[in-house]
Amino acid sequence: MSNNWEMVIGLEVHAQLKTSSKLFSSSPNQFGSEPNENVNFIDSGMPGMLPVMNFGCIEMAIKTGYALNFKINKYSVFERKNYFYPDLPQGYQISQFEFPILSEGYINIDSGDNQKKIRIERAHLEQDAGKSIHDIDPKYSFIDLNRVGTPLLEIVSYPDLSSADEVINYMSSLRQLLMYIDVCDGNMQEGSLRADVNLSVRKKGQELGTRCEIKNLNSFKFIKQAIEYEFQRQINIIDGGGEIEQNTMLFDTSTGETRAMRSKEFSHDYRYFPDPDLLPVNLSQEQIDKIKPLVGELPQDKLNKYLDNYSLDKDIAKIIIAEKQNANLFEKMISESTVKPKFIAAWLVGDIFAFIKENNLEVNSLNDKTKDITDLLKLISDDVISNKAGKEILPKVLNGEGKPSELVKELGLEQVSDSGELEKIIDEALVGEEENILKFQGGSDRVLGYFVGKCLKATKGKGNPKLINKILLEKLKK
Amino acid sequence: MSDIDIKRISYLAKLKLPSEKEEFYSNSLKDIIKWVDNLKKVDTSKTEPLHNVTEKTVSIRNDEVSKSNSVDDVLSNAPERAQNFFKVPKVVE
Amino acid sequence: MKNSISQIKKALIEKKISVGELYDEYLAKAKSGNNNSFNLVIDRENNISSINDSQNRYDNGNPLPLDGIPLGIKDLFCTKGIRTTASSKILSNYIPNYESFVTQQLLNDGSIFIGKNNCDEFAMGSSNETSYFGPVINPWKNKNSQKDNLVPGGSSGGSAAAVAEGSCVASMGTDTGGSIRQPASLCGIVGLKPTFGSCSRWGIVAFASSLDQAGPLTNCVEDAAYVLNSINKHDFNDSTSSNHQREDYLVDINNSFEKKIKIGIPSDYLEDVSDDILNQIDNTKKALSKHGIEFVDVKFKTTEYALSTYYILAPAEASSNLARYDGIRYGVREDGESLDDIYLNSRTKGFGDEVTRRILIGAYVLSAGYYDAYYRQAQKVRRLIKNDFQRILNEVDFILTPTTPNEAFKIGDKLDPISMYKNDIYTVPTSLAGLPGISIPSGLSKNGLPLGVQFIGNYFEEKLLLQLAALAEKELSFNE
Ligand SMILES: [Mg+2]
Ligand SMILES: [Zn+2]
């Protein structure tokens, strides 16, 4: 059965670069505009229009080069990939072919308990195509060219991936890195990150089989479904005595199945050749070096820092570095407060993230509330209020209902840490408890818990439990 | 020179040659390809291809947006439009 | 001799003629349309504000460099609000919402457009017979068979014929493998192809991007300098546009050279040529020798490969450049059941035979299995051709060649493509090297038809090239 089979997967990931303008025109690179609003005559392929390269895209490619351990090529060439499609106004896509801007990179991903190195063959710049809308009219398609010319970085891995989980880990690591270096917004729903999955199967230890390419998957869920379906489909064909045909597949999100694209009379032949409207990109070492500092700290750097300098637990640190905005929020709070990073981290991944999730917020939306949050955490860690009171006040602080110190006063949640007052309350609580006092002195620890509870109740929960504990012990030992 | 598959080439070029013209073009292409075949004699083993006589560009744009053309200007020559879309018969995948 | 731009400007300044009268004179000739040199003539109403503005500047004593000069514009330049067809059926209804860089410069300098010149479809042709709007007729007649209509050359055949017939003072053409120089020669006028990268390609319907170059067709060399001064500018929006410092091409045009000039004549160009053609070279040599110019024999190593290289590279680029004509966003859409039918029908019916042929050649030489043997090999040979020119231009200041291998021929005479392609044998190598070339009239053939010679200069040395051409022109000018 499928136990003897293994899958061999390579990924082509298209990342939309978050530049202001397009790769070869100065129209806005923007999602969600009115149809054909972000289109100029270059984008719509009008006669005589010529491309001019956007250096912002080169900068982002170089940043990616550093983050993904690529060789950054000083010489790269834009070529035309020729094919006809109504989304493609020029009748060709400008891409890089023989000389990509980046080659031979890698990233390390989690695979089970280990790390696995995934080699990346190349990454190249190219233009995105427009969109055809098929569901407005049964007989017609409608063409919106807004997306035409949006810069894409296509990142092509070697076939080093061997399970759906690895593919997901690889994709999410890529997504994390691209978002860290601020070149892609990572929004898969809007198509900012899309994957073509090249999958073949083989019996363990045997040679590579024929691969099929599943096009344009834009969610982790679909990637997983498509891989699992395609894996089984190929095994079934071979087990049934058939042969795999090299095909381009589409994934049907409603059925979870893959199917071959309508077979063409002739196979594709893109007739790549250097775009004569554009001259080769020649970068100097200085231009490349200048971009290095813009890369900033990568997730692995942050992880090491959090473990070594802030003594965070690994699990908590990983949650924080998962997205750059989390890390930014965390580091902002650290820099603004004297509260221990570890204490802040625990609250961040606990109640604060829970609040964000519950209210469907962006992590970034808390950036202007960090001072209030750390003020609150300071009150908690200084025992001015109890943990419980902190949990009660946090949502109000996050909702901007008031300053933590005011809220504490308003709600009367200030902890009683006045030992004289507490002593009085404890003395009262011990009246008539001679039997239990004797039990304690006879060695029963359980009684201590009973007394602490009784005292806390008497303070209406506001007594500082640590202090109560301390005073009680002194009194009981007498 | 190998045979010219005129059907395949016209498919790549999105042209539908009338059958009576296929042979005309096929022969014409054969003649021309035979005529240019003399290039094979040239020793270019030490020569890099020349993409363009100008080899250095000065046109590199900073990443700035300038106003795109108006939707009406983009669509004004469209054979068929529907609202602000270009309209075509349904595309079947 | 027709009036030159400087003579016309003088008349305008001295109020011997008004801008409107000048315009009407040329317009009337253009409208008579005897030679089919225009695809479209612009009515007076549509130019009235330009005419008035221009007249005002003359009245105020501050005319612009080309103020009021009526020009013809090859129908390959996109002109805002004015139909631009590339002489193709597929673009026969296209009205651009933008003005090409080059024509904008001409407008900025005060010139007024008479209309859009007929040309070969998408500039593919050497006789102007591939135009959807019918062939252009050369205003010249063979004195031994007066009734025959002759070709004006191509692809800028309409632009050449219009200047020769006097329906515009000068015209704009484009030259990919000889499309300015060859028709200029066959129509007895001056045609200049500047260095690749001199004049922006922005807004010109592309044929072969690495070769296309705009340039003037004029009655005299000085007029070419006038037009070149206007159009030769760096354009940021054309990535292949050069940003070198441009000179004023008029300043020294009538001066003699300060240093001794050496001109190379490639003897390999002159094997098997007719006496008519040899005479042109001899005339020119004699005329310039009087001015102390030295002539030497030079030999190219790559001449026999130039046409092959060109007929691989140009169709390859064209097959891709013409992919955008699909009937989806603009142009003529032919009916079809499915989207694919619309594509196939619009393109198949929209393109003429020669364009179809070149698209097919281009698709073939780029296709899998043939790319290395044809396209890549041609790009390599192109470098050898460029190096060959550079080697020779290290030895000499200019190169002198015939412009065409023959005089104007009868419309319909050359049916087979290869013999048509051979018309460009002297102009194509220069185009591949990207060098500037100018054709000037050098004499008449036995049949009384004009012939020209070509001077080739070094990169961006149009100023010296025009100076040489002006010197030769003084000696060689012939009467119609
Ligand atoms: Mg792919
Ligand atoms: Zn791609």
Side-chain angles (χ1 to χ4, degrees):
Chain A
M1 278 307 290
S2 61
N3 282 344
N4 312 321
W5 292 94
E6 61 184 13
M7 51 177 108
V8 179
I9 301 174
L11 233 58
E12 293 164 27
V13 174
H14 284 93
Q16 276 183 4
L17 299 180
K18 50 188 273 199
T19 51
S20 314
S21 62
K22 295 181 176 179
L23 180 51
F24 295 115
S25 88
S26 53
S27 337
N29 172 19
Q30 199 174 297
F31 182 83
S33 305
E34 291 298 308
N36 290 307
E37 197 181 42
N38 299 337
V39 179
N40 73 17
F41 299 143
I42 300 173
D43 308 321
S44 63
M46 292 296 179
M49 292 298 96
L50 300 172
V52 177
M53 188 182 70
N54 175 354
F55 194 71
C57 302
I58 302 283
E59 279 178 351
M60 289 192 180
I62 295 173
K63 273 165 94 176
T64 309
Y66 282 116
L68 273 53
N69 308 297
F70 271 112
K71 176 175 177 291
I72 298 163
N73 297 316
K74 288 183 185 161
Y75 177 82
S76 61
V77 177
F78 283 106
E79 305 206 22
R80 294 183 182 177
K81 179 183 183 180
N82 294 285
Y83 66 98
F84 290 90
Y85 204 72
D87 295 349
L88 193 71
Q90 296 160 311
Y92 53 83
Q93 177 195 33
I94 305 177
S95 180
Q96 297 182 314
F97 185 60
E98 207 180 337
F99 300 97
I101 186 156
L102 304 174
S103 45
E104 302 301 333
Y106 67 87
I107 58 172
N108 291 312
I109 64 161
D110 289 336
S111 171
D113 293 333
N114 301 315
Q115 290 254 297
K116 182 172 172 185
K117 179 172 169 178
I118 306 299
R119 295 167 307 143
I120 309 175
E121 191 186 332
R122 56 185 278 149
H124 61 257
L125 287 164
E126 63 184 25
Q127 325 170 274
D128 210 342
K131 271 184 183 163
S132 298
I133 295 143
H134 306 302
D135 50 12
I136 299 181
D137 188 296
K139 280 168 66 190
Y140 295 95
S141 293
F142 295 86
I143 298 168
D144 175 7
L145 300 179
N146 276 343
R147 203 178 63 182
V148 168
T150 294
L152 298 174
L153 191 68
E154 179 174 342
I155 303 164
V156 183
S157 84
Y158 281 100
D160 284 357
L161 298 154
S162 39
S163 72
D165 285 342
E166 280 186 9
V167 170
I168 304 290
N169 285 347
Y170 171 74
M171 264 300 265
S172 43
S173 297
L174 268 189
R175 179 172 176 273
Q176 182 194 35
L177 280 163
L178 297 174
M179 289 172 73
Y180 256 79
I181 59 174
D182 212 24
V183 305
C184 178
D185 68 18
N187 190 330
M188 295 182 70
Q189 265 175 2
E190 290 177 2
S192 302
L193 208 63
R194 319 188 292 261
D196 298 343
V197 174
N198 286 285
L199 185 148
S200 65
V201 299
R202 63 174 170 196
K203 285 250 168 73
K204 289 209 168 98
Q206 287 185 345
E207 276 181 34
L208 284 178
T210 306
R211 68 189 164 89
C212 286
E213 180 181 19
I214 317 163
K215 281 250 182 256
N216 252 328
L217 299 164
N218 71 342
S219 86
F220 290 124
K221 190 179 121 199
F222 295 154
I223 292 173
K224 200 173 159 77
Q225 281 180 355
I227 288 174
E228 278 160 6
Y229 183 88
E230 180 65 15
F231 181 49
Q232 203 54 53
R233 189 188 73 88
Q234 293 190 15
I235 292 171
N236 291 347
I237 289 175
I238 299 170
D239 276 348
E243 266 182 43
I244 304 296
E245 240 184 282
Q246 181 155 358
N247 248 327
T248 303
M249 315 291 290
L250 290 175
F251 176 69
D252 187 330
T253 53
S254 56
T255 61
E257 295 174 0
T258 59
R259 64 180 162 86
M261 277 174 80
R262 209 162 52 112
S263 73
K264 296 268 158 49
E265 200 181 337
F266 295 101
S267 61
H268 274 302
D269 182 345
Y270 292 122
R271 289 158 288 136
Y272 281 96
F273 75 105
D275 191 328
D277 286 332
L278 290 160
L279 301 173
V281 182
N282 279 300
L283 297 169
S284 65
Q285 193 57 48
E286 292 92 293
Q287 277 176 305
I288 297 171
D289 290 344
K290 232 194 253 171
I291 291 167
K292 194 170 185 185
L294 306 178
V295 173
E297 258 179 332
L298 296 176
Q300 191 59 45
D301 305 326
K302 288 206 189 286
L303 184 66
N304 294 341
K305 185 170 79 179
Y306 292 179
L307 299 184
D308 298 348
N309 302 359
Y310 304 152
S311 327
L312 302 196
D313 292 338
K314 197 169 183 178
D315 289 343
I316 289 187
K318 275 194 164 174
I319 297 172
I320 296 176
I321 62 155
E323 289 197 28
K324 193 186 184 182
Q325 46 178 355
N326 301 348
N328 285 347
L329 186 71
F330 174 58
E331 290 178 23
K332 186 158 185 267
M333 292 198 285
I334 291 176
S335 71
E336 288 170 0
S337 157
T338 56
V339 181
K340 275 207 184 105
K342 198 171 172 169
F343 191 78
I344 294 177
W347 275 85
L348 184 66
V349 301
D351 288 66
I352 296 176
F353 280 176
F355 177 87
I356 285 171
K357 204 173 169 191
E358 234 165 72
N359 294 283
N360 243 323
L361 296 176
E362 287 285 323
V363 170
N364 284 334
S365 69
L366 298 186
N367 280 346
D368 54 356
K369 299 208 175 76
T370 48
K371 188 79 189 86
D372 290 345
I373 299 170
T374 50
D375 283 350
L376 175 66
L377 299 185
K378 174 99 175 119
L379 294 174
I380 302 165
S381 70
D382 285 355
D383 284 331
V384 177
I385 59 171
S386 67
N387 222 45
K388 192 166 159 265
K391 283 176 189 282
E392 204 179 319
I393 295 173
L394 180 72
K396 299 185 195 298
V397 170
L398 296 180
N399 280 329
E401 289 171 25
K403 297 279 160 209
S405 53
E406 291 161 10
L407 288 164
V408 166
K409 257 184 222 147
E410 236 170 73
L411 299 170
L413 291 172
E414 210 150 350
Q415 215 161 219
V416 181
S417 296
D418 176 335
S419 50
E421 198 176 325
L422 285 177
E423 219 167 313
K424 229 166 71 191
I425 292 167
I426 289 167
D427 284 341
E428 272 165 37
L430 293 179
V431 172
E433 293 279 9
E434 288 77 10
E435 204 177 319
N436 280 327
I437 295 171
L438 283 173
K439 271 187 192 166
F440 175 81
Q441 288 164 343
S444 169
D445 283 347
R446 265 194 309 168
V447 180
L448 180 64
Y450 162 75
F451 280 126
V452 172
K454 193 175 176 187
C455 295
L456 270 173
K457 208 173 169 188
T459 63
K460 292 178 182 126
K462 285 188 257 172
N464 180 336
K466 271 188 228 156
L467 209 53
I468 291 174
N469 223 315
K470 191 178 151 225
I471 299 168
L472 255 176
L473 274 174
E474 277 165 17
K475 298 220 177 231
L476 289 173
K477 278 179 186 161
K478 277 183 193 162
Chain B
M1 186 188 64
S2 19
D3 252 5
I4 289 174
D5 183 349
I6 196 76
K7 279 204 166 65
R8 176 172 164 76
I9 299 164
S10 47
Y11 164 81
L12 291 175
K14 269 281 189 255
L15 293 166
K16 188 169 68 184
L17 305 179
S19 47
E20 72 274 12
K21 277 202 151 178
E22 270 182 11
E23 204 183 316
F24 163 77
Y25 281 115
S26 175
N27 288 336
S28 179
L29 242 67
K30 260 182 224 161
D31 291 346
I32 292 165
I33 294 300
K34 204 165 126 193
W35 180 59
V36 301
D37 238 22
N38 69 333
L39 285 196
K40 293 194 173 144
K41 291 191 304 195
V42 187
D43 178 7
T44 54
S45 54
K46 291 191 187 91
T47 311
E48 285 296 312
L50 181 68
H51 300 166
N52 218 316
V53 284
T54 321
E55 294 190 82
K56 203 172 138 259
T57 189
V58 286
S59 295
I60 298 175
R61 209 161 44 78
N62 290 325
D63 182 22
E64 281 156 15
V65 172
S66 74
K67 206 199 155 315
S68 42
N69 300 110
S70 78
V71 180
D72 279 333
D73 277 354
V74 167
L75 285 154
S76 68
N77 278 283
E80 259 193 287
R81 70 185 267 191
Q83 294 118 39
N84 285 345
F85 291 104
F86 297 95
K87 187 178 165 189
V88 296
K90 193 142 212 124
V91 187
V92 193
E93 292 279 278
Chain C
M1 195 68 190
K2 296 202 180 66
N3 288 329
S4 69
I5 291 176
S6 62
Q7 287 166 334
I8 294 170
K9 281 186 75 180
K10 190 160 175 274
L12 285 163
I13 289 166
E14 291 169 356
K15 303 230 178 319
K16 295 201 169 113
I17 191 170
S18 72
V19 173
E21 285 160 2
L22 178 75
Y23 177 78
D24 288 343
E25 205 175 282
Y26 283 92
L27 184 71
K29 206 153 226 175
K31 275 198 158 168
S32 71
N34 293 332
N35 297 318
N36 198 26
S37 52
F38 285 88
N39 288 341
L40 176 148
V41 173
I42 301 170
D43 284 325
R44 197 179 209 276
E45 306 92 87
N46 293 322
N47 265 328
I48 193 70
S49 65
S50 311
I51 293 169
N52 291 339
D53 290 350
S54 175
Q55 188 60 56
N56 283 337
R57 286 187 294 265
Y58 276 104
D59 294 346
N60 296 332
N62 53 0
L64 295 166
L66 292 172
D67 229 331
I69 303 298
L71 299 181
I73 305 295
K74 187 179 187 178
D75 207 6
L76 213 62
F77 291 85
C78 290
T79 41
K80 190 173 182 174
I82 297 167
R83 196 172 58 132
T84 300
T85 71
S87 289
S88 181
K89 184 184 178 192
I90 206 163
L91 273 184
S92 55
N93 60 359
Y94 182 64
I95 301 175
N97 289 310
Y98 48 94
E99 186 74 36
S100 85
F101 179 89
V102 158
T103 48
Q104 186 63 56
Q105 306 315 306
L106 295 168
L107 292 172
N108 293 348
D109 281 342
S111 69
I112 299 173
F113 299 163
I114 290 282
K116 304 297 291 286
N117 291 123
N118 197 342
C119 57
D120 277 303
E121 185 181 5
F122 285 104
M124 297 177 195
S126 305
S127 63
N128 216 121
E129 292 170 287
T130 71
S131 167
Y132 174 63
F133 301 102
V136 174
I137 299 164
N138 193 325
W140 290 76
K141 298 287 177 215
N142 182 328
K143 71 179 181 195
N144 297 319
S145 55
Q146 290 278 349
K147 59 175 201 321
D148 289 338
N149 282 335
L150 306 179
V151 302
S155 67
S156 309
S159 301
V163 173
E165 76 192 3
S167 55
C168 54
V169 173
S171 63
M172 280 308 305
T174 62
D175 189 314
T176 304
S179 284
I180 289 173
R181 292 160 286 163
Q182 187 253 14
S185 170
L186 299 193
C187 290
I189 61 169
V190 173
L192 169 68
K193 182 202 90 78
T195 310
F196 184 83
S198 293
C199 306
S200 169
R201 293 182 294 112
W202 194 91
I204 302 172
V205 175
F207 161 18
S209 311
S210 77
L211 295 153
D212 295 345
Q213 187 55 213
L217 294 105
T218 55
N219 284 309
C220 63
V221 174
E222 191 192 62
D223 285 3
Y226 262 102
V227 177
L228 194 65
N229 266 350
S230 179
I231 62 173
N232 191 346
K233 291 184 181 122
H234 172 240
D235 177 14
F236 184 83
N237 291 317
D238 174 356
S239 305
T240 60
S241 169
S242 164
N243 70 340
H244 72 283
Q245 190 64 45
R246 267 69 168 178
E247 292 158 290
D248 186 333
Y249 300 104
L250 281 165
V251 171
D252 297 318
I253 195 155
N254 292 314
N255 293 355
S256 51
F257 288 99
E258 279 166 22
K259 60 162 195 168
K260 181 145 177 67
I261 295 295
K262 203 199 266 182
I263 296 180
I265 299 177
S267 49
D268 53 300
Y269 277 42
L270 301 176
E271 287 159 17
D272 313 319
V273 302
S274 68
D275 287 347
D276 268 348
I277 300 299
L278 274 180
N279 288 340
Q280 307 311 311
I281 298 295
D282 286 342
N283 292 347
T284 311
K285 206 170 152 180
K286 260 181 232 144
L288 288 174
S289 298
K290 282 194 275 181
H291 294 268
I293 289 174
E294 185 192 347
F295 286 86
V296 295
D297 183 29
V298 292
K299 269 199 183 63
F300 284 98
K301 298 170 182 165
T302 54
T303 307
E304 62 179 306
Y305 306 115
L307 281 174
S308 302
T309 303
Y310 178 85
Y311 278 97
I312 289 169
L313 296 181
E317 293 182 20
S319 70
S320 175
N321 280 334
L322 270 60
R324 65 187 58 198
Y325 306 109
D326 54 14
I328 305 297
R329 297 162 316 284
Y330 51 80
V332 174
R333 177 187 288 188
E334 299 287 342
D335 281 343
E337 298 273 295
S338 66
L339 179 70
D340 213 45
D341 285 345
I342 285 187
Y343 268 104
L344 290 167
N345 294 340
S346 302
R347 289 173 59 78
T348 308
K349 292 178 186 164
F351 296 134
D353 279 355
E354 183 58 27
V355 171
T356 301
R357 182 184 353 256
R358 298 217 196 170
I359 291 174
L360 293 171
I361 300 171
Y364 178 79
V365 297
L366 287 174
S367 64
Y370 302 102
Y371 182 93
D372 286 332
Y374 293 106
Y375 183 76
R376 198 192 296 273
Q377 176 72 353
Q379 281 201 323
K380 289 178 170 181
V381 177
R382 186 176 183 186
R383 187 179 291 281
L384 295 177
I385 292 170
K386 186 189 174 199
N387 293 347
D388 213 9
F389 270 96
Q390 282 179 307
R391 174 179 60 84
I392 291 196
L393 284 170
N394 279 335
E395 296 164 20
V396 298
D397 302 297
F398 301 99
I399 298 162
L400 169 67
T401 77
T403 309
T404 57
N406 46 251
E407 63 190 15
F409 47 91
K410 252 178 11 190
I411 290 177
D413 237 17
K414 290 197 182 177
L415 292 172
D416 118 79
I418 293 175
S419 70
M420 186 67 89
Y421 298 167
K422 286 181 175 166
N423 265 290
D424 296 330
I425 188 152
Y426 301 128
T427 46
V428 152
T430 333
S431 295
L432 289 168
L435 291 163
I438 188 168
S439 175
I440 62 164
S442 54
L444 298 177
S445 70
K446 292 188 199 84
N447 291 322
L449 290 169
L451 284 166
V453 289
Q454 172 181 231
F455 293 110
I456 300 160
N458 219 328
Y459 292 105
F460 302 113
E461 290 190 352
E462 278 80 353
K463 191 172 173 188
L464 294 174
L465 187 63
L466 286 163
Q467 217 177 317
L468 175 72
L471 184 65
E473 178 185 51
K474 279 187 204 108
E475 300 287 340
L476 294 170
S477 60
F478 54 86
N479 292 315
E480 286 174 30

